[in-house]
Amino acid sequence: MLAALAICAAAAVAEPYGPVAGNPADRLAHLAIDDYGSDDARRCRRNPMSGTVSLERWLTRNVRGVSWGIVRCSRLDRRRFSLHAEGRAVDWHLDARSRTDRRAARRLIMMLLASDRAGNPHALARRMGIQEIIWDCRSWWSGSDRMEPYAPCLDRRGRVKKNVNVTLARRDHVHIGLNLAGARKRSTFWRR
């Protein structure tokens, strides 16, 4: 009995996002899955990249909410830029204080991180070239198993800070960032 529970617990840890009905990644399950990928932003661009525009259009057609934009020239520190600086991230307005918006955000994130019918984890995110998702003090980075606590929301002891800025915590929008393959429409979802 304990062995069976241990196996079930290990399976739950290994694959926290099971299949989701209607996942667009299922239509691509016959193709080799895209590798996980993550690319730092190196500069500011004036215009969004084509894959990011396509992601914004896909969100408009498939998810409750509205775009809060793509391009914003901002630095993370002296050497690193935000993915928005290169036109590789969409901020999708959903408010964590709204039950309907929370449900829509959870549905979106579950679909992006779900396994496809072939068992590929995070199938839609990988096929779209998504390298980061941040929502409501939780984040997923390409290759991570699941959404984890988002560091800017935590104090030194790892507890969620009180009075974290709503936008910094991504409580008023879902941040979705693309790697270069996704932003250039060279991942399987955009090439099909």
Side-chain angles (χ1 to χ4, degrees):
M1 173 91 167
L2 288 176
L5 287 174
I7 291 169
C8 288
V13 169
E15 192 172 330
Y17 303 100
V20 170
N23 190 341
D26 286 339
R27 294 190 305 264
L28 303 169
H30 65 285
L31 300 172
I33 189 74
D34 302 72
D35 286 333
Y36 291 99
S38 184
D39 301 295
D40 290 338
R42 307 249 181 244
R43 63 189 178 100
C44 288
R45 295 173 51 100
R46 290 179 190 244
N47 299 308
M49 295 183 77
S50 61
T52 318
V53 172
S54 292
L55 173 61
E56 183 181 56
R57 288 181 185 143
W58 183 86
L59 290 166
T60 299
R61 289 189 310 272
N62 293 285
V63 181
R64 173 184 175 81
V66 295
S67 176
W68 269 8
I70 295 174
V71 178
R72 180 181 67 251
C73 185
S74 60
R75 290 181 181 265
L76 300 175
D77 56 37
R78 293 182 123 199
R79 294 188 177 133
R80 297 179 312 140
F81 287 85
S82 161
L83 294 183
H84 287 289
E86 284 190 348
R88 294 197 284 132
V90 174
D91 285 339
W92 193 253
H93 175 57
L94 290 168
D95 194 325
R97 295 168 291 194
S98 159
R99 180 184 305 185
T100 306
D101 282 5
R102 277 194 315 271
R103 203 171 20 246
R106 278 194 297 265
R107 216 171 321 169
L108 169 62
I109 293 166
M110 288 298 293
M111 185 180 302
L112 292 171
L113 299 182
S115 298
D116 63 15
R117 67 175 181 209
N120 294 306
H122 315 126
L124 189 56
R126 290 167 68 184
R127 292 197 182 279
M128 287 181 159
I130 294 173
Q131 76 175 42
E132 60 190 37
I133 303 168
I134 309 170
W135 160 251
D136 194 16
C137 282
R138 313 269 311 156
S139 59
W140 176 85
W141 310 100
S142 184
S144 300
D145 288 334
R146 62 178 46 88
M147 296 285 283
E148 298 284 347
Y150 181 50
C153 293
L154 305 177
D155 66 18
R156 291 180 191 176
R157 294 183 180 179
R159 296 176 301 204
V160 176
K161 297 176 190 173
K162 294 180 182 178
N163 301 320
V164 178
N165 177 285
V166 174
T167 301
L168 175 67
R170 303 333 193 265
R171 288 188 169 133
D172 57 5
H173 69 281
V174 179
H175 168 90
I176 304 171
L178 296 174
N179 60 32
L180 287 171
R184 292 174 177 154
K185 294 180 77 167
R186 293 183 184 158
S187 59
T188 54
F189 187 84
W190 309 116
R191 285 192 321 231
R192 66 177 164 84

